[in-house]
Coordinates of all heavy atoms in Angstrom, one line a residue:
S181 N -9.3 26.7 -2.2 CA -8.1 27.4 -1.7 C -8.4 28.5 -0.8 O -7.8 28.7 0.2 CB -7.3 28.0 -2.9 OG -7.0 26.9 -3.8
N205 N -1.6 22.1 -5.3 CA -2.1 22.4 -6.6 C -1.0 22.4 -7.7 O -1.2 22.2 -8.8 CB -2.7 23.8 -6.6 CG -4.1 23.7 -6.0 OD1 -5.0 23.3 -6.6 ND2 -4.2 24.2 -4.7
G209 N -1.0 27.7 -7.5 CA -1.7 27.2 -6.3 C -2.9 28.0 -5.9 O -4.0 27.5 -5.8
D287 N -4.8 21.7 0.5 CA -5.6 22.2 -0.6 C -5.3 21.4 -1.8 O -4.1 21.4 -2.3 CB -5.2 23.7 -0.7 CG -6.0 24.4 -1.8 OD1 -7.1 23.9 -2.1 OD2 -5.5 25.3 -2.4
Ligands
MG502 MG1 -7.5 26.3 -5.7

Side-chain angles (χ1 to χ4, degrees):
S181 302
N205 285 284
D287 180 29

